[in-house]
Amino acid sequence: MSDVSTTCPYCGVGCGLLARSDGSITGDGAHPSNRGRLCSKGAALAATLDDATRLTMPAIDGRAASWDAALDLIAARFRETIARHGPDSVAFYVSGQCLTEDYYVANKLMKGFIGSGNIDTNSRLCMASAVAGHVRAFGEDLVPGVYEDWDEADLVVLVGSNAAWCHPVLHQRLLAARAAHGTKIVVIDPRRTATADAADLHLPLASGTDVALFNGLLAYLNDAGRIDHRWVERHAAELDAALAAARLPSAQIDDIAAECGIDPEALETFYDLFARTERVLTVYSQGVNQSSAGTDKVSAIINCHLATGRIGRPGMGPFSVTGQPNAMGGREVGGLANQLAAHMGFDDAQARAAVAAFWQAERLAERPGLKAVEMFDAIHDGRIKAVWIVATNPAVTLPRAGRVRAALKACPFVVVSDCWPTDTTTYAYVLLPAAAWGEKDGTVTSSERRISRQRPFRRAPGEARPDWWQFAEVGRRMGWPAAFAWDRPAAVFREHAALSGHRNNGRRIFDIGALATLDDAAYDALQPVRWPMPAGAVSEGGRLFATGGFPTADGRARLVPTPCRGQSGRGGHALLLNTGRIRDQWHTMTRTGLAPALLSHTSAPVLAIHPGDAAAVGLADGALARVTSDHGDMLLQTELRHTQRRGEVFAPMHWTEQFASAGCVGQLVGADLDPLSGQPALKATPVSLLSEPVHFHGLLLRRDAGPLPDTCHWVRVPVPEGQLYRLSGLAAMPAGDDLMRFAASLLGAADDAERLEAIDPRRGVLRVAVVRDGALEACLFLVRDSAALPPEAALIPMLGSPVPDRARAQLLAGRMYDRIAAEGPRVCACLGVSRDAVRHGIVTHRLRSVHEIGVLLGAGTSCGSCIPELEEILRDVRMPVA
Ligand code: SF4
């Protein structure tokens, strides 16, 4: 097999990859989005191609079934439900992981033929506020800029974006631009993240005060004479209204700084820098979007660019970066419940007629459907009676996850398509095995409107099939064979491209009509291309709006007044919980959790908290905290960090019941929604903390994953030969025979294995090793004092390794581990360099720069995602002790 060029399945940067004939995955030097660079997640993709845990057969009610039986059943149950309760009694909940072709078929089936708007996507949780902000400013959901703007800007403002961890290749590109020509970087984020560490200025604003900050900027720009009245007069409207709203309740820097909880001098420095820099790019992401005022935050940012005419020219403009690999593609086809198709809306009768005619749709949906949170509310209260969930895990990621689980349990008919078992697949009556990245064939669109091919380079295991095929099969079986007759993704793509140009005539900027005539070979060979590409276009699309041309009735953009709406109350809770991503994990870890290297940087969900807040509730570093909101409670280990704002805590969104007994942070989050976009406020949940007593500590190493007794809080960490579990006893350690039964339930090893045991009841210590065929099969250490646990780094390589007779006593006594130094967490996941190795190298070799660390240890020389952390270690080690 020759090398296959494809696209990364993780974030919206859309990096090009080469799947090599030797099984490795590398960056594609020819792809314009990344020019060969990858982050740690992309670099570890080859380690995730293990089929051992994949879903490979359809199942009905837990029993293996044929595709025919499963698809016939889905078609019949959806038909029956629609006949009895109407089209709005069914729903699809899909994903930014879906390819554009998957999305297109699902949207056509729901909106064109079932006749409901009830298809929404987990992109609702990611960038719905950006979409709503774009539409009300520009008239259409459009990102005006291109990635070259990251190179060409003189000032880049990152708002609510930890790009160093969440969009690392773009962040590396920005740092390279700074090295080349001194780009200034400002980060606006409540947390001091890796991105903030690399910035020239960090404004740690209080959560939810972005509108006040950008309103203040608009007023400052006006007062400083920086409004481009000529440009505004010709290309924008509503400046006066936006300015009037921006001045309320005050445009004084001191007042705004007090509202935002930041230093007035730092705020003025930012305002001044923005005012006098023409080439300014404002990048925003989930920290802006995931808010009950998300759309207003987006508008407040865009207002500043429209007022100064800084849009669509090199190095300037508002720039939304999407979390998911194909959030943009989903928006193109109309995968959000409030969109119709191809950037056409429900409120336009001509558009509805055009789509109905193009699809020859029997009953086109006439109004928007339910957005994600509303959709699961409707399932909960019985209005929706059949749902098909595709490539997403709402039992973990939606707010009030406990209520979502209850809804799925009560729903009369739940279909789930996925590649791996998840918390959500446990609720499936019909479970469909989906083809995964590397097996699927189609397209994705990156944050800069660039369409790239995802190409297959391996066979799907068992009977796994692509999502577009599943939807098309059900469409045919529901009675519409002609409308769902495609035999390959290229045919779906051609129809999607043709619809974008259908009766368009320049009314909509999303137009890829030029790609509607690609034959199969040309589709196969399609190179990354940025839209718009209307029929007849000979070159790809570029920046938008430098000279106006907004797709509105009068061709002008709209500034939108964004009066501050004030903050919601905390309901008696002392802290605000912010949720988000960590550097090396993706979504609910179904793929990244397969690569042990990606768990070497952060291996467990922890609650980051300022030491002052921790002390107030008696929590020490590493203590177990019970986190309670109005919607649920969970246990998280605390990690004290001075980088947290006082009054705010942070927990990662990735962990599920597959990886921890209580990792699902979605169960704490409420359903506070942005009123326009319907995007939930995932970053500001009022919570309280209590210290949870831990009666004993444990380490369990075994081959298989599986549930553990609920008397333990546990976290599972995949390791090269099996699984490591960290245990915290929530009740007293059992004694006598109960202890041995408890140990046996944890170890779960086969009867033919040899068991070595050492018990010291007085000190509260149990050590058990299970040896089979001379190799360590499992081991368990339970202790009252966590300091008595062996170092994990020494223990992990022993799983599956030979245990010589002479070493058995040492193994149980723990002496073997004492001689092996634990290295601490890995900083560089690509080259496996630990934090301690970096510190040691800096001290002993007097290293002075990240470059010198790279030369000595290799750290930071592959994807570069760890460079901000290497800089932090350098600062730390060099910092004189007071
Ligand atoms: Fe994939 Fe990383 Fe590139 Fe995002 S930045 S597309 S996760 S390689």
Side-chain angles (χ1 to χ4, degrees), residues 8 10-15 17 37-39 41-43 166-169:
C8 179
Y10 295 125
C11 84
V13 178
C15 294
L17 307 170
R37 291 203 80 108
L38 295 179
C39 75
K41 295 183 283 292
C166 301
H167 299 95
V169 166

Side-chain angles (χ1 to χ4, degrees), residues 647-673:
E648 299 185 14
V649 292
F650 177 84
M653 49 77 75
H654 308 286
W655 270 264
T656 68
E657 287 185 359
Q658 318 287 316
F659 287 91
S661 57
C664 170
V665 82
Q667 64 189 295
L668 299 177
V669 177
D672 206 5
L673 305 181

Side-chain angles (χ1 to χ4, degrees), residues 446-457:
S446 74
S447 299
E448 65 152 354
R449 297 177 268 116
R450 184 173 296 286
I451 298 169
S452 297
R453 291 276 282 111
Q454 268 197 19
R455 294 184 175 88
F457 57 88

Side-chain angles (χ1 to χ4, degrees), residues 217-576:
L217 175 60
L218 185 64
Y220 185 93
L221 292 168
N222 186 55
D223 295 345
R226 296 290 179 169
I227 303 292
D228 186 341
H229 289 284
R230 216 164 143 239
W231 192 92
V232 170
E233 226 163 76
R234 294 171 63 192
H235 303 304
E238 308 293 341
L239 172 64
D240 290 344
L243 271 171
R247 292 191 178 283
L248 297 173
S250 166
Q252 297 295 316
I253 285 185
D254 284 348
D255 294 337
I256 297 163
E259 167 79 17
C260 299
I262 51 181
D263 172 32
E265 272 184 39
L267 183 64
E268 187 160 14
T269 300
F270 165 60
Y271 283 179
D272 178 56
L273 192 58
F274 194 110
R276 59 188 164 77
T277 309
E278 181 70 2
R279 289 185 173 214
V280 50
L281 187 73
T282 307
V283 175
Y284 47 97
S285 189
Q286 275 85 338
V288 165
N289 298 333
Q290 291 176 339
S291 162
S292 59
T295 308
D296 277 358
K297 291 181 183 181
V298 172
S299 292
I301 291 169
I302 293 175
N303 285 348
C304 295
H305 282 274
L306 290 175
T308 50
R310 293 172 185 166
I311 187 166
R313 287 179 284 141
M316 63 184 77
F319 203 117
S320 156
V321 279
T322 56
Q324 301 214 62
N326 199 30
M328 178 81 84
R331 291 141 70 182
E332 290 163 9
V333 308
L336 290 164
N338 50 317
Q339 304 172 326
L340 177 55
H343 283 207
M344 288 177 266
F346 286 99
D347 53 356
D348 179 346
Q350 276 186 39
R352 288 203 310 277
V355 175
F358 184 86
W359 280 344
Q360 297 185 9
E362 290 179 6
R363 46 181 170 202
L364 191 83
E366 296 197 339
R367 59 179 186 275
L370 296 174
K371 301 178 181 116
V373 174
E374 303 162 343
M375 180 183 284
F376 280 83
D377 280 347
I379 297 171
H380 190 267
D381 65 24
R383 281 174 288 146
I384 289 177
K385 299 171 194 310
V387 63
W388 187 349
I389 298 165
V390 181
T392 184
N393 199 355
V396 175
T397 51
L398 277 178
R400 297 179 305 179
R403 183 178 156 95
V404 169
R405 288 168 192 241
L408 289 174
K409 198 169 174 191
C411 184
F413 191 60
V414 177
V415 182
V416 182
S417 310
D418 215 318
C419 308
W420 292 274
T422 68
D423 290 12
T424 299
T425 60
T426 59
Y427 297 94
Y429 185 74
V430 180
L431 182 56
L432 302 176
W437 175 83
E439 300 146 15
K440 295 176 74 164
D441 191 8
T443 54
V444 290
T445 309
S446 74
S447 299
E448 65 152 354
R449 297 177 268 116
R450 184 173 296 286
I451 298 169
S452 297
R453 291 276 282 111
Q454 268 197 19
R455 294 184 175 88
F457 57 88
R458 66 195 305 267
R459 284 178 63 87
E463 300 201 12
R465 296 281 185 276
D467 297 312
W468 74 266
W469 177 87
Q470 298 177 25
F471 280 114
E473 281 290 331
V474 169
R476 288 195 279 265
R477 287 161 204 251
M478 287 183 74
W480 305 295
F484 296 91
W486 312 282
D487 61 348
R488 64 197 64 201
V492 179
F493 183 83
R494 282 190 286 271
E495 186 177 311
H496 160 59
L499 176 58
S500 76
H502 179 64
R503 300 188 193 170
N504 189 329
N505 304 318
R507 293 174 68 199
R508 304 180 303 277
I509 287 178
F510 173 64
D511 186 342
I512 53 169
L515 305 178
T517 52
L518 294 178
D519 62 17
D520 291 350
Y523 175 79
D524 263 354
L526 181 67
Q527 294 303 302
V529 62
R530 196 166 47 215
W531 58 262
M533 285 280 290
V538 289
S539 58
E540 69 174 9
R543 298 181 179 91
L544 304 173
F545 308 139
T547 54
F550 294 92
T552 55
D554 60 3
R556 298 163 83 198
R558 295 286 180 279
L559 284 89
V560 179
T562 54
C564 289
R565 285 197 260 123
Q567 304 274 335
S568 309
R570 294 195 180 187
H573 297 287
L575 299 162
L576 279 185

Side-chain angles (χ1 to χ4, degrees), residues 5-73:
S5 62
T6 182
T7 313
C8 179
Y10 295 125
C11 84
V13 178
C15 294
L17 307 170
L18 290 176
R20 305 272 188 186
S21 51
D22 64 4
S24 64
I25 310 278
T26 62
D28 181 354
H31 197 289
S33 297
N34 58 319
R35 301 169 187 158
R37 291 203 80 108
L38 295 179
C39 75
S40 53
K41 295 183 283 292
L45 271 164
T48 67
L49 299 175
D50 180 358
D51 293 337
T53 54
R54 287 285 298 277
L55 298 172
T56 55
M57 278 289 290
I60 298 174
D61 199 14
R63 284 185 294 278
S66 68
W67 271 107
D68 273 339
L71 295 167
D72 283 345
L73 179 64

Side-chain angles (χ1 to χ4, degrees), residues 169-203:
V169 166
L170 275 179
H171 188 250
Q172 288 302 310
R173 187 168 178 160
L174 172 59
L175 296 187
R178 175 165 74 176
H181 68 88
T183 317
K184 288 272 181 264
I185 302 173
V186 176
V187 169
I188 299 173
D189 195 308
R191 294 191 302 143
R192 204 177 84 216
T193 59
T195 312
D197 273 342
D200 299 288
L201 177 65
H202 172 213
L203 299 179

